[in-house]
Amino acid sequence: YKYFINLPHKLVADEIECRNDNNKFHSRVSYKRFISFKNYVKSFLNKELEWEEIETKGEFLDDQNGGYNVTHKGIFKLNKRAFNYDEFSEGEKILFTYAVLFFLLEQNQKLNIKESILIIDEPELHMHPALQERLVAFILKISVDSQIFMSTHSSLLIKQLSQNDKVKIMILNRDNRPLSLEERKLPYLSSNETNFLAFALATEEYHNELYEYLKSRHGEQQTYKAFDNTFFVQEKKEPKSSPWMGHPNEVSIHTFLRNQIHHSADNGKPNMEDLKISITKMRAFFDI
């Protein structure tokens, strides 16, 4: 922490002492630390960190031994503005904290980040998706040399991390039972499916994804009613227990719910329990 607080003052003092000898100045510990911190700020916040001298003052010491004291003061600037932590958004404050953390870890000679195990709890909190993506990029970068464990409630974070084949993702459901992403049914990573597996959230969006994927595989050229009859009713033996355009017992619950989602003015809103039943059944149809 003292490195961060005193670093701009030390930079001013060292630059004055080096008397415009850039090579000498760039070899100083203060400058090397500044460059390291600057790179972390750029990685996490995508902002340019600079430093600036604001005051150099000397005064004679008023004691029996005499002497002369010189005080150097400097400030950090971000994108040409004086650094002010209070101007950060909540997400930027979190990213800045990560920048400081990794900078200090790098400065600690007793730690080797390349041999460390890092544990991060819910890094997505208060974070805009664009900032979250920047954090993911950095985590993937340092994970080449370190082992990182993270917990998250963000399906977006899972989706971003899953693009890397070195990332192992495990989902814990509400009963703390571990689930593997192999329990997914859709051929792509779906945030809606992740939320269903982890939190048993039966959403209209996930129902849509399952229904439309089954239709694309088993009845792409058919009308919705024809697809319902050939796939759900005839092949999967689902009962015609739901209405179609006001006529009772014309289609399965799956197509009726699909119509409720897309045409609620004519069919009403889908019932949550019906959504769960339909989603569970459609997931089973992927295995047959």
Side-chain angles (χ1 to χ4, degrees), residues 11-28 30:
L11 285 164
V12 174
D14 282 351
E15 186 182 51
I16 292 175
E17 184 179 330
C18 291
R19 306 180 191 279
N20 297 320
D21 185 338
N22 286 334
N23 291 332
K24 184 178 180 181
F25 176 55
H26 291 171
S27 69
R28 291 294 178 93
S30 64

Side-chain angles (χ1 to χ4, degrees), residues 25-284:
F25 176 55
H26 291 171
S27 69
R28 291 294 178 93
V29 172
S30 64
Y31 183 80
K32 292 178 180 179
R33 286 174 176 165
F34 167 71
I35 293 300
S36 172
F37 188 45
K38 176 184 176 75
N39 290 335
Y40 282 119
V41 170
K42 180 67 174 180
S43 294
F44 281 104
L45 292 167
N46 196 30
K47 295 180 184 290
E48 293 296 334
L49 181 71
E50 300 171 300
W51 65 274
E52 182 178 284
E53 177 185 354
I54 58 173
E55 182 181 51
T56 295
K57 181 174 65 175
E59 60 181 355
F60 288 101
L61 301 178
D62 187 17
D63 59 37
Q64 61 181 0
N65 297 319
Y68 190 75
N69 183 62
V70 178
T71 302
H72 303 286
K73 289 187 177 180
I75 60 170
F76 281 133
K77 301 181 77 174
L78 279 179
N79 288 355
K80 309 296 184 181
R81 291 167 53 91
F83 172 81
N84 186 345
Y85 179 79
D86 292 333
E87 291 182 353
F88 285 161
S89 68
E90 291 302 313
E92 287 177 324
K93 288 178 180 178
I94 293 173
L95 288 178
F96 182 75
T97 300
Y98 280 118
V100 173
L101 169 65
F102 283 104
F103 166 70
L104 294 178
L105 286 174
E106 185 180 272
Q107 300 306 310
N108 191 328
Q109 301 300 316
K110 296 180 181 180
L111 292 176
N112 184 351
I113 194 170
K114 293 185 176 182
E115 298 176 356
S116 301
I117 296 176
L118 304 179
I119 301 175
I120 305 175
D121 184 34
E122 298 187 63
E124 74 278 2
L125 292 180
H126 308 295
M127 200 171 293
H128 187 278
L131 297 180
Q132 186 172 302
E133 188 172 9
R134 193 170 299 138
L135 173 61
V136 167
F138 184 80
I139 288 174
L140 290 176
K141 178 181 177 181
I142 65 172
S143 68
V144 173
D145 299 309
S146 306
Q147 190 168 18
I148 301 176
F149 291 89
M150 289 195 305
S151 67
T152 180
H153 287 93
S154 170
S155 54
L156 175 60
L157 184 66
I158 293 174
K159 186 173 184 178
Q160 292 168 330
L161 288 168
S162 68
Q163 306 304 317
N164 189 298
D165 59 7
K166 302 296 184 183
V167 175
K168 173 67 175 179
I169 297 176
M170 178 176 290
I171 299 171
L172 291 178
N173 68 7
R174 292 185 301 177
D175 300 322
N176 285 328
R177 182 173 70 88
L179 303 170
S180 169
L181 282 186
E182 279 67 36
E183 295 189 45
R184 292 181 296 137
K185 302 301 180 182
L186 294 169
Y188 54 87
L189 188 63
S190 161
S191 298
N192 300 312
E193 187 162 53
T194 299
N195 286 332
F196 180 78
L197 291 173
F199 312 118
L201 290 179
T203 62
E204 295 179 6
E205 292 78 11
Y206 186 37
H207 189 280
N208 273 340
E209 287 188 279
L210 293 172
Y211 187 99
E212 294 300 332
Y213 183 77
L214 287 172
K215 186 176 186 302
S216 71
R217 294 295 303 273
H218 303 283
E220 187 173 14
Q221 304 302 320
Q222 294 179 299
T223 65
Y224 283 101
K225 189 176 184 182
F227 164 66
D228 180 84
N229 184 62
T230 57
F231 182 71
F232 289 125
V233 177
Q234 294 183 21
E235 183 176 336
K236 302 303 178 186
K237 309 303 179 185
E238 292 290 286
K240 284 186 176 183
S241 56
S242 301
W244 172 274
M245 299 181 67
H247 301 286
N249 302 325
E250 289 281 327
V251 293
S252 71
I253 186 177
H254 315 297
T255 297
F256 176 62
L257 286 171
R258 183 264 170 199
N259 291 343
Q260 284 190 309
I261 293 169
H262 290 273
H263 309 287
S264 59
D266 298 322
N267 298 282
K269 294 285 187 179
N271 176 277
M272 182 60 65
E273 193 58 38
D274 287 341
L275 274 175
K276 288 182 179 179
I277 293 171
S278 179
I279 285 173
T280 301
K281 284 189 173 184
M282 285 196 294
R283 280 175 53 82

